[in-house]
């Protein structure tokens, strides 16, 4: 299984290379690649957020930056997982379903989250016809500082179900 994780704090995800996941990667059962979202920014300040489109409190992550990060990863038959407290509650059943996927891409939001136009865009027919599925997932009824911890929880729950990982 291939797993890509996009974050503005790629160092935060270092534990994905340890323990059973590290061994699974060494054995070729799982391939995990971490991407720095800021590398897709086009300004001198590496800006990834702005005020919400249409107004509102807080800052949201820019859809253009996410598009540049996601487009090269979302080829065919990919599950895009947007981590958000408003998403569907992640469960063992979901972990079992996702453990059968070939390629997972985790989008780790920060601030008030990822602009919803990202979900809307990648949910369009041009992507679903290519086997791209968009999931909004939450690991619980609380708010974290960002999606990195949620991504690590989901990745561990999913990958341990892959034959040979445990």
């Amino acid at each position: 299984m291939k797993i890509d994780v996009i974050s503005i704090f790629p160092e935060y995800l270092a534990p994905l290379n340890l323990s059973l996941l590290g061994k699974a990667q060494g054995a070729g059962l799982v391939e995990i690649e971490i991407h720095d979202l800021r590398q897709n920014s086009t300004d001198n300040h590496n800006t990834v957020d702005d005020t919400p489109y249409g107004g509102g409190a807080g800052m949201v992550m820019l859809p253009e930056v996410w598009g540049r990060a996601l487009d090269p990863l979302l080829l065919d038959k990919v599950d895009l997982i947007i981590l958000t407290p408003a998403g569907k509650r992640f469960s063992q059943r979901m972990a079992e379903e996702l453990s059968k996927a070939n390629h997972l891409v985790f989008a780790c939001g920060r601030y008030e989250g990822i602009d919803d136009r990202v979900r809307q865009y990648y949910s369009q027919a041009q992507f679903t016809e290519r086997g791209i599925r968009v999931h909004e997932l939450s690991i619980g009824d609380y708010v974290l500082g960002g999606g990195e911890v949620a991504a690590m929880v989901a990745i561990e729950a999913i990958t341990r179900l892959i034959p040979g990982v445990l």
Side-chain angles (χ1 to χ4, degrees):
M1 171 184 289
K2 176 150 178 51
I3 299 174
D4 288 286
V5 186
I6 305 168
S7 167
I8 61 170
F9 297 114
E11 312 81 25
Y12 204 105
L13 298 151
L16 294 175
N17 294 314
L18 303 174
S19 188
L20 291 174
L21 273 176
K23 290 178 184 176
Q25 289 179 75
L29 299 171
V30 179
E31 177 188 347
I32 300 175
E33 189 170 347
I34 311 300
H35 307 271
D36 185 350
L37 181 66
R38 290 191 188 278
Q39 291 182 348
N40 296 281
S41 178
T42 58
D43 68 349
N44 292 337
H45 302 287
N46 294 322
T47 304
V48 296
D49 64 324
D50 200 356
T51 54
Y53 179 75
M59 303 291 273
V60 294
M61 299 186 89
L62 293 165
E64 299 84 2
V65 176
W66 277 102
R68 285 190 289 277
L70 290 168
D71 282 347
L73 301 175
L74 298 181
L75 302 174
D76 291 329
K77 295 183 181 163
V78 179
D79 286 273
L80 170 59
I81 300 166
I82 299 172
L83 300 153
T84 171
K88 187 174 180 182
R89 178 78 56 97
F90 183 69
S91 66
Q92 185 66 24
R93 186 174 189 158
M94 281 185 201
E96 290 167 1
E97 178 186 327
L98 291 170
S99 74
K100 297 173 183 133
N102 291 322
H103 188 182
L104 303 175
V105 176
F106 287 85
C108 299
R110 284 269 162 180
Y111 314 113
E112 295 296 319
I114 300 169
D115 190 306
D116 192 52
R117 291 176 288 176
V118 172
R119 179 197 56 80
Q120 293 171 13
Y121 179 74
Y122 291 109
S123 296
Q124 294 179 63
Q126 64 187 1
F127 295 102
T128 58
E129 290 168 358
R130 293 181 10 219
I132 295 169
R133 300 184 309 169
V134 178
H135 312 270
E136 286 187 297
L137 298 183
S138 169
I139 63 164
D141 194 19
Y142 43 86
V143 178
L144 300 170
E148 292 81 9
V149 170
M152 288 191 287
V153 167
I155 290 168
E156 184 159 323
I158 292 164
T159 56
R160 67 183 304 278
L161 299 170
I162 297 170
V165 169
L166 284 183

